[in-house]
Amino acid sequence: MSALGRAVRGPGGAAAAAVALAIPTVRFRRGARLPAWVGALTAATNGVERALSAEVTAGVTAEVTAEVTAEPPG
């Protein structure tokens, strides 16, 4: 088995997950398809990273809004 992989980075920059492509070694050739596979992995991880960033931003915005609009105790 041969594989290619790329880390998915969270908003803080640390690896949070990964996307990988596994290929039987007997079918793996480093020829013309390798750049396309790397490009597909890059596009996939970039999309996941943007989605994670948007979710974190939306969550933080919702938390701040809730704190600002909350009624004072008592």
Side-chain angles (χ1 to χ4, degrees):
M1 195 55 92
S2 295
L4 302 169
R6 184 166 161 87
V8 175
R9 305 235 174 246
V19 175
L21 171 66
I23 308 160
T25 301
V26 296
R27 296 180 58 197
F28 181 70
R29 304 284 184 267
R30 287 184 173 243
R33 297 188 75 183
L34 183 60
W37 291 334
V38 171
L41 286 171
T42 300
T45 56
N46 287 346
V48 173
E49 288 169 354
R50 280 192 300 276
L52 284 174
S53 180
E55 287 294 320
V56 168
T57 300
V60 169
T61 301
E63 288 176 20
V64 170
T65 301
E67 289 176 14
V68 169
T69 59
E71 303 240 349

